Amino acid sequence: MGDTQSEDTMNGHVEDINGKGTAEHDSNMKEEEIDGRFSRRAIMVVFLSLLLDLLAFTMILPLLPSLLDYYAQHDKGDGWYSMLQSGVNHFREFLGIPDTERYNSVLFGGIIGSLFSFLQFVASPVIGAASDVYGRRPLMMLTMVGITSSYVMWALSHNFQLFVLARIVGGISKGNVSLSTTIVTDVSTRKTRGKGMAMIGISFSLGFIVGPMIGALFARSAAAQGGAFYVQPALFALFLAAADVLFVYMYLDETLPEEKRAQSFGNSFKEAQNLINPVSLFCFSAVKKTTKKDMSMLRLLGFIYFLYLFIFSGLEFTLTFLVHKRFQYTSIQQGRMFVFMGLIMALVQGGFVRRIKPGKEKRMAVMGMVILMPSFLMIANATTTTLFYAGLALFAFASASVVPCMTTLVSVYGSADQKGTIMGIFRSLGALSRAFGPVVSSAVYWAYGASTCYIAGSILLVVPLLLFTMVKPQKMD
């Protein structure tokens, strides 16, 4: 009888344990399911928000050469454009360079593009670090409101001064892309992060497909009606940005819980300086919680990223001026060029990059850099649109593959409360390269012509390519 009671008691305990185990298992399964749903929702919200932002942002790309020609004709007297042109002419005479006035718009465009990216360089790490303390959502809202304000100023830019001020406000506010990559990092695992980053890449591709063509169509419509051709594109960009603000406000949930946030933004000037000092950025000095080995790889990846984007962004920026001068492309033809590039980028991102297995990102990034070298040579020597578009196809493939793969490689480093800082610094290094790339490439283009500019870019790509062989990616968990 006693044995029977003992057996019954033991069986009861076993049933209780099994019951608890089953309950805990079911609970864990539910948590994983909820986390998966939350992750997919957050990534989709980021994707749609970036798409709206990039549609607005890319509308100006095919218009920039014509915009600068417009201000050259209308900004007379003591306007900023006239002052800049006078300074460039004195500089040209000082160097003894032959008359390059036909390329002045290329140089001015490079200066404006570099100014925009320099401000983005300053703002990105500060916004990233602030989001580690205050959360991703409020900082995302703040950047989107700033971007919307810049489009208001663009729509009102009847002179060159207002146009430049609009680009300044836009550059300071352009931290939303860095925040988007940080949000994807927050809600993904190391094994799924590549797919999340690829979604960001797809939004860029789609933005480049549709945005430039919309801008060109609006500009043509406005010109036909006899008005300033930039007003309609600017107003539509404003509409998209305002819709993006509303969308983010309604659907973006916070992805960084309070218990995982950094305790303070920085208690000393030195810590704040780490976020904007170029030397500190290259050293990733604001990142505290990481091993010596990981820090070494972060610094190497950051330096390679800077070199690659310095070359790539400079030549990318001059593309619209090249076709404007060499092939006399209209805004519509330039819009079609961006559609062609965007379609290839979308196909590569959606059908190839998104399917890359964890650990294969380095190989893909190297392949993209190798492909970019003949692309630059083809564009440099293109006298027909056929050869130019062949080079452009290779260019688009590299554009769709290198940066997303490098971003994935960097995103695995750091603890949860340092992700925003790391991604902000990485993004800021890219912005720093874009701050110098366009103006340096435009200056070479202005002084020596397009062919020399692109051939030099192809040769210089050897440097980041060789450095990439030293990278040893962190293994995925």
Side-chain angles (χ1 to χ4, degrees):
M1 189 78 172
D3 291 341
T4 305
Q5 285 178 339
S6 295
E7 192 175 332
D8 289 342
T9 302
M10 188 170 69
N11 287 339
H13 283 309
V14 171
E15 286 174 7
D16 288 343
I17 291 169
N18 287 338
K20 288 178 182 176
T22 303
E24 287 176 5
H25 178 71
D26 290 343
S27 175
N28 289 336
M29 289 286 286
K30 287 179 181 177
E31 285 179 9
E32 287 178 9
E33 186 178 342
I34 292 170
D35 287 345
R37 269 192 224 146
F38 179 71
S39 174
R40 287 191 294 273
R41 173 188 164 88
I43 290 173
M44 185 53 64
V45 170
V46 165
F47 168 77
L48 293 173
S49 173
L50 267 181
L51 182 58
L52 287 171
D53 174 63
L54 291 164
L55 285 173
F57 176 73
T58 56
M59 284 173 62
I60 197 174
L61 296 179
L63 309 181
L64 191 54
S66 299
L67 266 172
L68 292 171
D69 288 346
Y70 172 85
Y71 290 123
Q73 296 172 10
H74 292 80
D75 200 44
K76 301 294 184 181
D78 58 353
W80 283 13
Y81 192 96
S82 299
M83 290 171 59
L84 188 59
Q85 184 164 283
S86 176
V88 166
N89 287 337
H90 287 308
F91 181 66
R92 175 180 56 77
E93 290 170 6
F94 174 74
L95 294 179
I97 297 173
D99 186 12
T100 54
E101 189 169 347
R102 69 187 187 281
Y103 292 147
N104 276 357
S105 62
V106 182
L107 185 60
F108 295 171
I111 292 170
I112 293 171
S114 287
L115 175 64
F116 182 93
S117 292
F118 177 77
L119 294 169
Q120 188 180 358
F121 149 71
V122 173
S124 286
V126 176
I127 291 170
S131 76
D132 285 338
V133 179
Y134 304 109
R136 316 300 188 205
R137 190 174 186 274
L139 269 297
M140 181 67 88
M141 288 295 302
L142 183 64
T143 59
M144 295 309 304
V145 169
I147 289 168
T148 304
S149 302
S150 74
Y151 292 132
V152 172
M153 298 177 71
W154 181 27
L156 299 172
S157 61
H158 59 276
N159 59 41
F160 189 59
Q161 289 98 311
L162 272 175
F163 177 71
V164 173
L165 289 173
R167 301 304 289 171
I168 289 172
V169 173
I172 293 171
S173 306
K174 205 62 182 170
N176 64 314
V177 178
S178 176
L179 284 174
S180 296
T181 60
T182 304
I183 289 169
V184 169
T185 302
D186 287 340
V187 300
S188 60
T189 64
R190 292 185 176 184
K191 290 185 178 180
T192 62
R193 196 158 294 143
K195 292 181 179 179
M197 295 302 173
M199 290 297 290
I200 290 177
I202 292 169
S203 69
F204 270 83
S205 302
L206 292 175
F208 272 87
I209 291 172
V210 183
M213 184 56 76
I214 292 175
L217 289 171
F218 270 116
R220 185 170 71 174
S221 172
Q225 294 171 17
F229 73 93
Y230 61 85
V231 173
Q232 286 189 18
L235 288 175
F236 190 68
L238 172 60
F239 168 75
L240 291 174
D244 200 6
V245 171
L246 183 62
F247 176 73
V248 167
Y249 177 77
M250 292 178 64
Y251 295 106
L252 181 64
D253 296 320
E254 182 56 62
T255 60
L256 184 65
E258 289 191 20
E259 63 272 15
K260 291 186 177 181
R261 294 180 189 177
Q263 296 302 307
S264 66
F265 182 69
N267 298 319
S268 68
F269 173 75
K270 184 177 179 181
E271 288 185 20
Q273 191 181 39
N274 286 337
L275 301 173
I276 55 175
N277 184 317
V279 176
S280 298
L281 284 169
F282 278 110
C283 294
F284 284 79
S285 300
V287 181
K288 305 297 184 184
K289 305 172 185 177
T290 188
T291 65
K292 190 174 181 180
K293 181 182 176 183
D294 285 354
M295 181 62 81
S296 177
M297 279 298 107
L298 269 177
R299 289 169 179 170
L300 179 59
L301 282 166
F303 185 60
I304 294 168
Y305 185 62
F306 171 82
L307 287 177
Y308 168 76
L309 270 185
F310 173 80
I311 299 165
F312 177 86
S313 65
L315 299 184
E316 177 189 44
F317 186 85
T318 60
L319 272 176
T320 55
F321 295 94
L322 183 145
V323 295
H324 185 65
K325 300 292 183 183
R326 185 181 289 179
F327 299 116
Q328 289 76 52
Y329 272 17
T330 63
S331 295
I332 292 293
Q333 288 172 310
Q334 290 193 42
R336 289 173 186 152
M337 177 183 78
F338 282 108
V339 168
F340 174 78
M341 291 173 62
L343 284 171
I344 292 175
M345 289 168 65
L347 288 171
V348 173
Q349 287 281 359
F352 194 37
V353 175
R354 195 166 65 91
R355 302 176 189 274
I356 294 174
K357 294 180 180 179
K360 302 294 185 183
E361 293 88 359
K362 176 185 171 181
R363 183 180 176 184
M364 185 66 190
V366 168
M367 185 191 301
M369 287 188 190
V370 170
I371 286 173
L372 195 57
M373 295 168 76
S375 162
F376 287 159
L377 293 175
M378 292 166 76
I379 292 171
N381 296 289
T383 55
T384 64
T385 54
T386 303
L387 182 59
F388 174 74
Y389 266 83
L392 210 59
L394 298 179
F395 182 92
F397 181 92
S399 180
S401 56
V402 178
V403 172
C405 288
M406 290 199 70
T407 304
T408 302
L409 286 172
V410 168
S411 68
V412 301
Y413 292 94
S415 56
D417 64 347
Q418 291 273 284
K419 293 291 186 187
T421 302
I422 289 173
M423 297 310 296
I425 290 172
F426 190 68
R427 184 78 189 172
S428 191
L429 286 170
L432 180 61
S433 67
R434 290 183 181 277
F436 289 101
V439 72
V440 171
S441 290
S442 297
V444 174
Y445 189 122
W446 173 73
Y448 301 106
S451 296
T452 301
C453 183
Y454 279 82
I455 291 170
S458 179
I459 295 169
L460 289 173
L461 270 174
V462 173
V463 179
L465 191 58
L466 289 176
L467 286 173
F468 222 134
T469 61
M470 300 166 60
V471 171
K472 295 178 181 178
Q474 192 179 81
K475 291 183 180 179
M476 304 289 185
D477 290 341

